[in-house]
Amino acid sequence: MDKPHRAMPDIEVLPAHFPIPGMGFLPVNAFVIKAREPVLVDTGMGIDSEEFMKALESIIDPQDLRWIWITHDDVDHTGNLQKVLEAAPSARLAANSLAVLRMSTAWSVPMHRVYWLNSGDSISVGDRKLTAVRPPLFDNPTTIGVYDNKSEAFFSADFFGAIIPSPAQNADDVTEGDLAKGMISWASADSPWVHMVNPGGFMKALDRIRQIGPEMIFSAHLPPARGRTEQLLELLAEVPTSTPFVTPDQTALEQIMAQMGSGR
Ligand SMILES: [Fe+2]
Ligand SMILES: [Fe+2]
């Protein structure tokens, strides 16, 4: 994991970077919203378990958390969920019902602590309203991002993600060219169905985010991006007609393994 940092006066980032061989790094972020009822958005990767809990404790006493919002039940978002639920006995688990049911096939989710949300539903966390928003791109049907009306920040789950050449603390630290290339590759790889959709319908989904007009984008897979929503939406409008991403095959794996072997 990387060092946690404050991206807005009341929003802290718990950043990590996952290496993608031959391509770069995928940021994997969780966030703490220091609302009157503090909220953790996603719980990082299980591989970082110890570091993640330490990083979280450096930002907030987990006992003070009142909400754990899981944007979807993919393992890069739920890696430390059980640990956090134990450490944060006063926190409720906000998630889509299907995410909770899917997780229940692997472990006993404490249902009395669960709060089910559909896109459009809101919860009050004392000093602000958090609204569930299904992003235009997602790799899991349970996905709900979070719009925070106080900070005008959109926690967009996998949407707005990008594979970047090297870890960065802010989206502004990545060159425009690298950002465009990395974002289109990620969108195509993570949501391959985007190439089957009617571009007009996809534009309407992008427009819904445009209408919300978040000032700050907190993607799980992009360094924080301030004041760039319109630019990034325009970039993503090209995805349905872009060249589909082809995942690496066995030949690529053998090359990667040979390179790793030669580096030993
Ligand atoms: Fe995902
Ligand atoms: Fe993800």
Side-chain angles (χ1 to χ4, degrees):
M1 276 191 71
D2 307 324
K3 205 170 160 346
H5 62 98
R6 182 168 298 166
M8 293 184 94
D10 49 4
I11 297 178
E12 309 266 356
V13 187
L14 292 157
H17 287 90
F18 188 75
I20 310 283
M23 292 191 72
F25 293 85
L26 181 69
V28 180
N29 304 314
F31 306 93
V32 172
I33 307 173
K34 290 192 161 168
R36 197 171 304 144
E37 296 180 15
V39 185
L40 172 65
V41 179
D42 287 336
T43 65
M45 298 182 282
I47 198 168
D48 287 335
S49 186
E50 228 170 276
E51 270 187 279
F52 183 87
M53 293 308 291
K54 269 194 201 142
L56 177 62
E57 284 158 17
S58 74
I59 287 170
I60 191 168
D61 181 344
Q63 303 250 6
D64 293 338
L65 282 174
R66 290 295 174 271
W67 296 93
I68 303 162
W69 183 305
I70 293 297
T71 61
H72 59 304
D73 65 308
D74 284 356
V75 287
D76 51 326
H77 301 253
T78 60
N80 301 298
L81 176 55
Q82 291 178 72
K83 282 217 160 82
V84 178
L85 278 168
E86 261 174 52
S90 303
R92 296 192 73 176
L93 170 58
N96 180 258
S97 55
L98 287 185
V100 174
L101 295 177
R102 286 158 54 122
M103 289 191 292
S104 299
T105 65
W107 55 282
S108 276
V109 180
M111 292 304 289
H112 62 285
R113 295 177 63 183
V114 164
Y115 194 103
W116 279 352
L117 291 161
N118 282 330
S119 184
D121 293 343
S122 298
I123 55 173
S124 167
V125 292
D127 58 346
R128 70 195 74 200
K129 189 170 79 165
L130 301 182
T131 303
V133 177
R134 172 181 269 187
L137 293 171
F138 50 85
D139 64 358
N140 175 319
T142 74
T143 303
I144 41 170
V146 190
Y147 180 67
D148 168 353
N149 71 335
K150 187 175 180 193
S151 60
E152 296 180 31
F154 180 36
F155 300 83
S156 62
D158 289 359
F159 184 54
F160 287 124
I163 299 166
I164 54 179
S166 55
Q169 200 176 69
N170 292 295
D172 292 347
D173 300 334
V174 184
T175 69
E176 302 261 325
D178 286 339
L179 192 66
K181 192 166 154 247
M183 191 169 280
I184 287 178
S185 302
W186 169 253
S188 176
D190 195 53
S191 305
W193 51 265
V194 71
H195 299 292
M196 294 184 276
V197 304
N198 166 345
F202 182 61
M203 284 304 289
K204 277 190 192 155
L206 296 180
D207 278 343
R208 283 197 282 279
I209 304 303
R210 195 168 269 127
Q211 279 154 17
I212 297 169
E215 169 62 16
M216 193 78 174
I217 299 293
F218 288 117
S219 170
H221 302 308
L222 183 75
R226 182 189 292 272
R228 300 182 69 166
T229 303
E230 181 54 36
Q231 180 204 1
L232 300 182
L233 287 171
E234 277 172 26
L235 191 64
L236 286 167
E238 295 170 25
V239 179
T241 52
S242 68
T243 308
F245 182 87
V246 179
T247 46
D249 60 7
Q250 178 59 20
T251 308
L253 175 59
E254 283 168 16
Q255 281 168 359
I256 291 165
M257 298 301 279
Q259 276 168 10
M260 286 170 67
S262 63
R264 260 181 219 151

